[in-house]
Amino acid sequence: MTVSKDAHIVTSYDENLRELDARIDRMGALAIAQTRDTISLVVHRDLAMAARILEREAEMNDLDFRVNEQVVRLLALRQPMADDLRAVVTCLKVAGMLERVGDYTANAARRAPALTQMTPFPVRGPVSRMGDLVIGMLDDALSAFRHPDVTLASQVRERDEEVDALHASLFRELLTYMMEDPRTITACTHLMFVSKNLERIGDQATNIAEAAHYRATGTMLVGERTKGDPSSGTEPAKDA
Amino acid sequence: MTVSKDAHIVTSYDENLRELDARIDRMGALAIAQTRDTISLVVHRDLAMAARILEREAEMNDLDFRVNEQVVRLLALRQPMADDLRAVVTCLKVAGMLERVGDYTANAARRAPALTQMTPFPVRGPVSRMGDLVIGMLDDALSAFRHPDVTLASQVRERDEEVDALHASLFRELLTYMMEDPRTITACTHLMFVSKNLERIGDQATNIAEAAHYRATGTMLVGERTKGDPSSGTEPAKDA
């Protein structure tokens, strides 16, 4: 009877953790769909996307809250140790990171109406490219977190530099458009913020990859990564 | 002997929690100092501040990491329940929020050199006002978290709307400057991002206030708050 009771507890703990992972999976799938739709909205002017993006942001906020509740309950009832404890705590962190991806896509979506004024739309290529990159990073980071896979996690982290460089280059290009044709100023500033939102989604993918590494090993990825945004330091010298 | 052992465990758990709160206090003090120095840097062109802000950002990242480690250790060794568990988990969340305040100040600080080109500097007043507001919100949110104080927490949340409105108004004003004088475009776009960083610091203060409420009551603050940034939706209609 003791055995059967223990077996029951073990199953139930694993079930709890699986449920938690399933919720992270759901949030991850939403984050990727949100980012993809944001690119469609911005690049292909598909304004019908905007409402859907804002609705799903609310769903992501709700899922983040549920993960929080579930983690506190799981810690209280199961008191997991070592690897299990680390898995639970990193799930809490990753849910917060995915919720932020939802925020960034919603912020970008709200700017879409301001972009319709801009014809022709000049930076379709770089925006699509940034979108593809960050979607690939999110996908791999989530996969690295799920298995976990430390090699894949390191690769995601390295790709963030490419996103930062694309953002810096897009920022400079948009400054040039604004100076050449002041009528594009409003649309271009909104595009700068869209680009910044995509760059921040890349940062979150990197954070998730670092959480994957921590979940797997209990240690942090070593080496300072260049955080954020070369555009914040480089343009003035080049464009002033 | 059992009594003395229990007493020892209790003291030690309280010590652990005090240590955790002390680290949050230290991060909070740093976040406020960072925000104050960022305003000095932007408004009074005190470029010497920039290096200090970037140094302290590294210290905040380090503190956030230490809080994470400490929380995992505390959960493993002490297995706190109910109120204590909630206190520990919210400390983890709040450390992450304060670390983001550090990110936003560093991002703003990196833009400072681009602002020196701009003479005269037109939006000193509104930037200072936003700075004072978000510093006050941070201060009160941290105090609400520390005691905890649910009334103060609700008040912080209400003040976020004022920050959002100031950001939207500054955004419109900067668009006007750019259109009137294209030579100001580079500096004005950087100022828009500085304003956005301050607006995001207000969001973090609000998140901390919500964590204070949750720590005190175990429930979330009810009522959807307007999250983020009216500038992302309102300008196009007004400025197009």
Side-chain angles (χ1 to χ4, degrees):
Chain A
M1 201 166 139
T2 311
V3 172
S4 115
K5 200 183 156 214
D6 281 359
H8 174 72
I9 285 171
V10 168
T11 310
S12 190
Y13 175 74
D14 282 351
E15 258 168 33
N16 285 160
L17 197 58
R18 260 202 303 276
E19 211 181 291
L20 193 58
D21 268 324
R23 222 159 234 169
I24 299 290
D25 284 347
R26 169 87 188 123
M27 286 188 82
L30 276 173
I32 289 171
Q34 288 283 80
T35 309
R36 188 165 285 133
D37 286 353
T38 299
I39 301 299
S40 287
L41 175 61
V42 171
V43 174
H44 304 296
R45 313 296 179 89
D46 187 351
L47 289 186
M49 290 282 182
R52 196 162 84 181
I53 292 171
L54 299 179
E55 251 168 50
R56 277 193 312 219
E57 190 214 1
E59 188 182 347
M60 292 183 80
N61 290 344
D62 187 55
L63 277 165
D64 178 39
F65 176 67
R66 280 169 200 279
V67 167
N68 274 269
E69 295 267 87
Q70 198 178 349
V71 163
V72 170
R73 209 164 46 236
L74 207 149
L75 290 172
L77 298 180
R78 302 286 167 193
Q79 307 181 331
M81 301 294 286
D83 291 6
D84 285 339
L85 177 58
R86 219 158 54 218
V88 171
V89 171
T90 50
C91 280
L92 180 77
K93 305 273 287 183
V94 168
M97 294 163 190
L98 291 169
E99 190 268 335
R100 285 165 69 185
V101 172
D103 284 351
Y104 296 134
T105 56
N107 187 279
R110 286 194 193 95
R111 297 176 189 280
L115 304 176
T116 52
Q117 317 158 31
M118 209 179 180
T119 29
F121 183 66
V123 290
R124 236 179 215 123
V127 173
S128 290
R129 172 122 188 79
M130 269 185 89
D132 290 343
L133 262 171
V134 299
I135 288 167
M137 284 172 71
L138 272 177
D139 207 6
D140 286 348
L142 288 161
S143 172
F145 183 73
R146 194 67 161 84
H147 292 116
D149 180 338
V150 292
T151 314
L152 191 57
S154 298
Q155 287 166 0
V156 170
R157 202 168 175 255
E158 282 157 22
R159 277 143 67 193
D160 197 36
E161 281 181 33
E162 198 180 335
V163 175
D164 290 349
L166 265 172
H167 170 62
S169 140
L170 190 54
F171 194 98
R172 283 192 298 272
E173 198 177 338
L174 289 167
L175 278 178
T176 311
Y177 280 110
M178 290 155 92
M179 288 172 192
E180 282 171 2
D181 182 359
R183 287 169 304 174
T184 67
I185 285 176
T186 300
C188 282
T189 55
H190 284 290
L191 265 174
M192 280 179 169
F193 278 95
V194 167
S195 173
K196 182 72 190 169
N197 282 317
L198 291 175
E199 187 260 329
R200 291 241 179 217
I201 293 173
D203 285 346
Q204 293 314 311
T206 308
N207 288 340
I208 294 168
E210 290 177 356
H213 185 96
Y214 181 73
R215 178 180 187 167
T217 65
T219 61
M220 296 295 285
L221 267 169
V222 285
E224 190 62 31
R225 65 167 155 126
T226 40
K227 215 172 174 181
D229 176 3
S231 84
S232 59
T234 49
E235 292 78 17
K238 287 177 191 158
D239 296 294
Chain B
M1 201 167 139
T2 311
V3 171
S4 116
K5 200 185 155 212
D6 280 359
H8 174 72
I9 285 172
V10 169
T11 311
S12 191
Y13 174 75
D14 282 352
E15 259 168 32
N16 284 161
L17 196 58
R18 260 202 303 277
E19 213 181 291
L20 193 57
D21 269 324
R23 224 160 232 167
I24 299 290
D25 284 348
R26 170 87 188 123
M27 286 187 81
L30 276 172
I32 288 171
Q34 288 284 80
T35 309
R36 189 164 284 134
D37 287 354
T38 299
I39 300 299
S40 286
L41 175 61
V42 171
V43 174
H44 305 296
R45 314 294 180 86
D46 187 352
L47 288 185
M49 291 281 183
R52 196 161 84 182
I53 292 170
L54 298 178
E55 250 168 51
R56 276 194 310 220
E57 188 213 1
E59 188 182 346
M60 291 182 80
N61 291 342
D62 187 55
L63 278 165
D64 178 39
F65 175 68
R66 279 168 201 280
V67 167
N68 274 270
E69 295 266 87
Q70 199 178 349
V71 163
V72 170
R73 208 164 49 237
L74 206 149
L75 289 172
L77 298 180
R78 303 285 168 193
Q79 307 182 330
M81 300 294 286
D83 292 5
D84 285 339
L85 176 58
R86 219 158 55 218
V88 170
V89 170
T90 49
C91 280
L92 180 78
K93 304 273 287 184
V94 169
M97 294 164 191
L98 291 169
E99 190 268 333
R100 284 165 70 186
V101 172
D103 285 351
Y104 296 134
T105 57
N107 187 279
R110 287 193 194 94
R111 298 177 189 279
L115 304 177
T116 54
Q117 315 157 34
M118 209 180 181
T119 29
F121 182 65
V123 289
R124 235 178 217 125
V127 173
S128 288
R129 172 120 189 79
M130 270 185 88
D132 289 344
L133 262 172
V134 300
I135 288 167
M137 284 172 70
L138 273 177
D139 208 5
D140 287 347
L142 288 161
S143 173
F145 184 72
R146 194 66 161 86
H147 292 115
D149 179 338
V150 292
T151 313
L152 192 57
S154 298
Q155 287 166 0
V156 170
R157 202 167 175 254
E158 282 158 22
R159 276 142 67 192
D160 197 36
E161 281 182 34
E162 198 180 337
V163 175
D164 291 348
L166 265 172
H167 170 61
S169 141
L170 190 54
F171 194 98
R172 283 192 298 272
E173 197 177 339
L174 290 167
L175 279 178
T176 311
Y177 281 109
M178 291 155 90
M179 287 171 192
E180 282 171 2
D181 181 1
R183 286 169 305 173
T184 67
I185 285 176
T186 300
C188 283
T189 55
H190 284 290
L191 266 174
M192 281 178 168
F193 278 95
V194 168
S195 173
K196 183 72 190 168
N197 282 317
L198 292 175
E199 187 261 329
R200 291 242 180 220
I201 293 173
D203 285 346
Q204 293 314 310
T206 308
N207 288 339
I208 294 168
E210 289 176 356
H213 185 96
Y214 181 73
R215 179 181 186 167
T217 64
T219 61
M220 296 295 283
L221 268 170
V222 285
E224 190 63 31
R225 65 167 156 130
T226 41
K227 216 173 175 182
D229 177 3
S231 84
S232 59
T234 50
E235 291 76 21
K238 287 178 191 158
D239 297 296

